[in-house]
């Protein structure tokens, strides 16, 4: 009987290592959110770590969501922010406002957007897998 050795090499390009402050100084204004899950596969691949907001130039709402690719391989996702005024109506946004993000395996990254009008008081973030 002949013994055959097999070697498997793993490269570091499939995942991301990160370093951050042990005691963060930043004080984000976290948003209490409700998650509506219609795609269980997407939920398994993409984690939403946090959502926070602030006001920027001219009292415009800015929203930031921190996402994590929960898999080891690179994944591409699409996202869109819908903006809502005080009266509950959606604020018109530029056509085709879906954006694309590719996250390496395990990578954590923030996405953000600024509302198109100071009348915007709320938002909805929609996510799609590719």
């Amino acid at each position: 009987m002949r013994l055959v050795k097999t070697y498997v090499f793993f490269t570091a390009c499939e995942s991301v290592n990160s370093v951050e402050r042990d005691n963060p100084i930043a004080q984000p204004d976290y948003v209490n959110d409700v998650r509506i899950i219609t795609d269980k596969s997407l939920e398994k691949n993409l984690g939403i770590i946090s959502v926070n907001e602030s006001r920027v130039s001219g009292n415009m709402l800015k929203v930031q969501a921190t996402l994590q690719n929960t898999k080891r391989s690179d994944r591409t996702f699409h996202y869109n922010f819908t903006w809502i005024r005080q009266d509950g109506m959606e604020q018109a946004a530029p056509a085709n406002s879906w954006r694309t993000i590719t996250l390496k395996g395990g990578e954590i990254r923030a996405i953000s957007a600024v509302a198109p009008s100071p009348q915007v008081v709320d938002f909805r973030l929609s996510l799609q897998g590719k």
Side-chain angles (χ1 to χ4, degrees):
M1 182 169 165
R2 186 172 173 204
L3 186 63
V4 178
K5 291 184 181 180
T6 304
Y7 296 94
V8 179
F9 297 97
F10 296 97
T11 61
C13 65
E14 292 297 320
S15 64
V16 176
N17 293 341
S18 301
V19 175
E20 59 186 36
R21 187 184 297 269
D22 183 31
N23 294 309
I25 296 171
Q27 298 296 318
D29 184 8
Y30 290 113
V31 174
N32 291 325
D33 62 82
V34 174
R35 298 174 189 194
I36 302 165
I37 307 301
T38 59
D39 183 343
K40 293 288 187 183
S41 175
L42 178 62
E43 181 185 29
K44 291 177 184 175
N45 293 316
L46 182 65
I48 302 170
I49 295 174
S50 65
V51 179
N52 59 308
E53 66 182 6
S54 67
R55 293 284 174 170
V56 295
S57 60
N59 206 24
M60 306 282 267
L61 178 63
K62 179 177 182 177
V63 177
Q64 176 179 289
T66 304
L67 308 176
Q68 180 177 21
N69 176 358
T70 58
K71 299 299 181 183
R72 291 182 176 210
S73 59
D74 296 1
R75 302 282 181 168
T76 299
F77 305 98
H78 303 288
Y79 66 94
N80 179 48
F81 285 93
T82 301
W83 304 104
I84 304 166
R85 299 186 313 247
Q86 181 71 37
D87 61 7
M89 302 295 286
E90 289 184 11
Q91 175 70 39
N96 195 15
S97 56
W98 283 89
R99 298 178 185 169
T100 302
I101 183 172
T102 299
L103 300 174
K104 294 196 174 297
E107 183 177 7
I108 298 172
R109 193 178 332 161
I111 58 171
S112 64
V114 176
S117 159
Q119 285 76 36
V120 168
V121 297
D122 250 328
F123 69 94
R124 180 173 48 254
L125 172 60
S126 300
L127 300 160
Q128 286 182 331
K130 183 172 180 184

